[in-house]
């Protein structure tokens, strides 16, 4: 109980340095971090089968419950995270469909590709003052 894991982008000295700072400051252990290969800038793009296997082994070898807390629920996050459903791992985040519909600035501003379509706020109440922007 009380043991958390974090996935961080690998191959980046600044991130590794930040991990060491957090580890030392918070009293964490090196076995609590999983680094990606560092071949892709976006962490979710960089989670490969090897890393998924390591994470599955952690979940399967524990009697504790696990949850994933993504920065954002994207299709690339779901690509690897959905593999954990059968292990009872939950995701703390919005449903992907909700993110697709509302998880962008279009909730406040009109989109550049369709300036004649009101933003969600404008549809709710045209009297709500929203700063112009795209």
């Amino acid at each position: 109980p009380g043991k958390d894991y974090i996935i961080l982008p690998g191959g980046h000295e600044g991130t590794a340095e930040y991990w060491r700072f957090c580890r030392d400051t918070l009293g964490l252990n090196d076995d609590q971090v999983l680094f990606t290969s560092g071949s892709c800038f976006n962490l979710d793009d960089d989670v490969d089968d090897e890393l998924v296997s390591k994470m599955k082994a952690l979940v399967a070898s524990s009697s504790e419950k696990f949850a994933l807390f993504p920065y954002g629920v994207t299709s690339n996050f779901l690509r690897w995270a959905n593999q954990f459903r059968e292990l009872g791992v939950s995701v703390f985040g919005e449903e992907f469909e909700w993110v697709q519909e509302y998880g962008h600035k279009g909730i406040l501003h009109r989109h550049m590709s369709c300036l004649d379509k009101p933003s969600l706020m404008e549809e709710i109440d045209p009297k709500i003052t929203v700063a112009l922007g795209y």
Side-chain angles (χ1 to χ4, degrees), residues 8-12 35-43 46-48 51:
L8 293 174
H12 183 257
F35 285 101
T36 66
S37 68
S39 62
C40 299
F41 175 74
N42 183 307
L43 184 132
D46 206 24
V47 173
D48 58 16
L51 189 56

Side-chain angles (χ1 to χ4, degrees), residues 13-104:
E13 182 52 36
T15 302
E17 182 180 342
Y18 179 70
W19 161 249
R20 290 188 296 272
F21 169 77
C22 290
R23 177 198 62 201
D24 297 344
T25 304
L26 300 172
L28 303 173
N29 298 309
D30 280 329
D31 65 343
Q32 291 179 262
V33 67
L34 298 163
F35 285 101
T36 66
S37 68
S39 62
C40 299
F41 175 74
N42 183 307
L43 184 132
D44 287 322
D45 294 349
D46 206 24
V47 173
D48 58 16
D49 291 340
E50 181 181 346
L51 189 56
V52 168
S53 292
K54 287 179 185 177
M55 291 187 288
K56 282 183 174 180
L58 286 170
V59 173
S61 68
S62 175
S63 61
E64 298 296 321
K65 293 188 181 233
F66 281 75
L68 297 171
F69 292 80
Y71 174 75
V73 177
T74 64
S75 58
N76 275 342
F77 167 75
L78 293 174
R79 171 188 57 80
W80 64 266
N82 282 339
Q83 298 178 54
F84 291 87
R85 286 188 181 193
E86 64 193 33
L87 298 173
V89 175
S90 57
V91 174
F92 188 81
E94 304 297 344
E95 293 293 324
F96 181 68
E97 293 74 22
W98 189 95
V99 173
Q100 290 292 99
E101 180 74 23
Y102 304 110
H104 51 78

